[in-house]
Amino acid sequence: MTSAGTSVAEFFARFPDEQACLTHVFETRFGNHSPCLYCGVVGGWTQIKGTKKYLHRCRRHVSVLEGTAFYRSNLSLMAWFYALLLFANSSTGMRSSYLRRHLGIGVKSAHRMGNVIRTHMAAFEPHRMVGGPDKIVHIDEAIMRHVVGGVRQTPHIVMGMACEHEVLTGILPDRTLTTVTAAIAKHVRPGSVLVTDCHLAYSGLKRDGWEHIPVNHSRAFHNFAGMTNNPIEAYWSVLKRTLRLYGKVAPDNLWRFLAEIQFRYNRRKSKNSLFLELVSAFPLIAPEQVESQERNFNWSNFQ
């Protein structure tokens, strides 16, 4: 990974204390650029002393952290911001055991913090389509064997699409022709050139009107015309290596890990700091928003 990072010195220079973190969240969400939710007047905010609330000149107040990843947390904002820095600067993921030791928090707190931060990262990877007229989209599916349900390991199928140095991934219920073609129709723009292996699930792509280039991996890693599926294969190595380091992943949380790894991978060549991007916005993390984010990575339902 070659993406830019934020050093510890830069972090503490910008966020030296709890108040600096709170001020940043307030200025990002409200500040002097957004009108009051009640009267519509821009500006005129004053922090209520001793609280994390701001009072507007219309005498209505807002809770700065309400709806965000930090709302009703017993952990300090400094701890949350520093954990975001660790996630952003890591190239292989962040285990809850490391968060627990590094931040001096409990096991359950570290586990919840990791999942909430991954949900926060998922908001920066919204639903989108890949490809376009004459653009090449590399498609493949892989079995994740580090997903554990109860006492047994339950392999889960993840489908990946790579186009123009970015990837899009989602969880599939199976690898049947109907499921795979429905996922492609929903996430790939018409006119794209599809490159896949010779799995039977892709056998109907030409019939559906796609330009399809199959690569027979039983013969070679290319199709003898120079076309390979390496862009998505390279991502599988990153995904599987990261999940292997995490150890065991619960089925309900797999989409969060996909979001984290995809977020980091798609910005591997970015010259911008991933940490600064993560604190550039604080999307709402209410149940309805979380369900919407999960649907972006769970492709079991194509309605």
Side-chain angles (χ1 to χ4, degrees):
M1 301 292 180
T2 59
S3 55
T6 299
S7 68
V8 173
E10 293 171 331
F11 172 82
F12 283 109
R14 181 163 181 175
F15 303 107
D17 52 34
E18 190 81 358
Q19 183 59 45
C21 297
L22 182 65
T23 300
H24 176 77
V25 177
F26 169 76
E27 291 180 348
T28 301
R29 297 191 66 196
F30 304 99
N32 292 322
H33 54 75
S34 298
C36 173
L37 300 176
Y38 303 101
C39 68
V41 176
V42 177
W45 295 96
T46 304
Q47 184 177 358
I48 302 176
K49 188 176 181 181
T51 71
K52 296 179 181 178
K53 298 180 179 181
Y54 276 71
L55 181 69
H56 194 258
R57 65 179 60 165
C58 69
R59 311 309 299 171
R60 303 296 292 269
H61 67 266
V62 295
S63 177
V64 177
L65 305 182
E66 185 175 359
T68 69
F70 323 121
Y71 187 52
R72 290 181 175 174
S73 172
N74 293 326
L75 303 177
S76 68
L77 267 180
M78 281 286 288
W80 279 103
F81 271 52
Y82 194 74
L84 286 171
L85 177 72
L86 295 177
F87 268 85
N89 285 348
S90 172
S91 60
T92 56
M94 188 59 51
R95 293 176 64 102
S96 60
S97 58
Y98 183 83
L99 288 176
R100 175 179 58 82
R101 294 191 301 267
H102 203 71
L103 300 178
I105 59 180
V107 175
K108 292 183 178 180
S109 295
H111 181 74
R112 178 184 178 276
M113 173 180 274
N115 283 336
V116 170
I117 289 178
R118 292 182 188 99
T119 305
H120 179 74
M121 298 172 83
F124 291 85
E125 286 289 309
H127 171 72
R128 65 183 187 277
M129 299 183 74
V130 297
D134 299 325
K135 291 185 178 179
I136 299 176
V137 180
H138 301 266
I139 302 176
D140 194 17
E141 74 288 330
I143 297 179
M144 302 294 112
R145 302 187 182 278
H146 292 81
V147 182
V148 178
V151 296
R152 298 183 60 187
Q153 287 193 345
T154 307
H156 279 57
I157 301 168
V158 174
M159 189 176 197
M161 304 172 181
C163 180
E164 297 182 325
H165 308 292
E166 290 191 354
V167 298
L168 190 67
T169 56
I171 305 168
L172 294 182
D174 52 58
R175 290 195 290 180
T176 62
L177 185 147
T178 302
T179 300
V180 169
T181 54
I184 293 174
K186 183 174 182 179
H187 296 97
V188 182
R189 296 186 182 92
S192 303
V193 180
L194 309 184
V195 181
T196 72
D197 57 24
C198 291
H199 193 279
L200 290 177
Y202 303 114
S203 60
L205 292 179
K206 283 192 176 181
R207 184 186 64 244
D208 293 339
W210 297 97
E211 183 177 350
H212 180 211
I213 302 177
V215 178
N216 191 342
H217 287 166
S218 65
R219 297 180 60 191
F221 67 91
H222 53 80
N223 69 341
F224 298 98
M227 184 62 70
T228 73
N229 225 10
N230 287 349
I232 189 62
E233 295 288 351
Y235 178 71
W236 291 144
S237 64
V238 173
L239 177 63
K240 292 181 178 181
R241 180 172 65 248
T242 304
L243 290 181
R244 191 180 308 117
L245 291 172
Y246 273 125
K248 297 178 181 179
V249 176
D252 293 343
N253 288 330
L254 177 59
W255 71 271
R256 292 185 170 91
F257 287 88
L258 291 181
E260 175 200 352
I261 300 168
Q262 181 176 300
F263 170 87
R264 191 180 292 116
Y265 186 84
N266 284 343
R267 293 158 179 79
R268 64 196 183 282
K269 297 183 182 297
S270 173
K271 295 182 180 180
N272 300 321
S273 167
L274 302 191
F275 168 72
L276 294 181
E277 181 177 353
L278 287 175
V279 297
S280 66
F282 299 94
L284 298 180
I285 302 184
E288 54 270 22
Q289 280 87 18
V290 174
E291 290 179 5
S292 176
Q293 293 170 8
E294 183 178 0
R295 285 195 296 269
N296 293 338
F297 295 92
N298 191 338
W299 297 351
S300 298
N301 187 350
F302 302 105
Q303 303 300 323

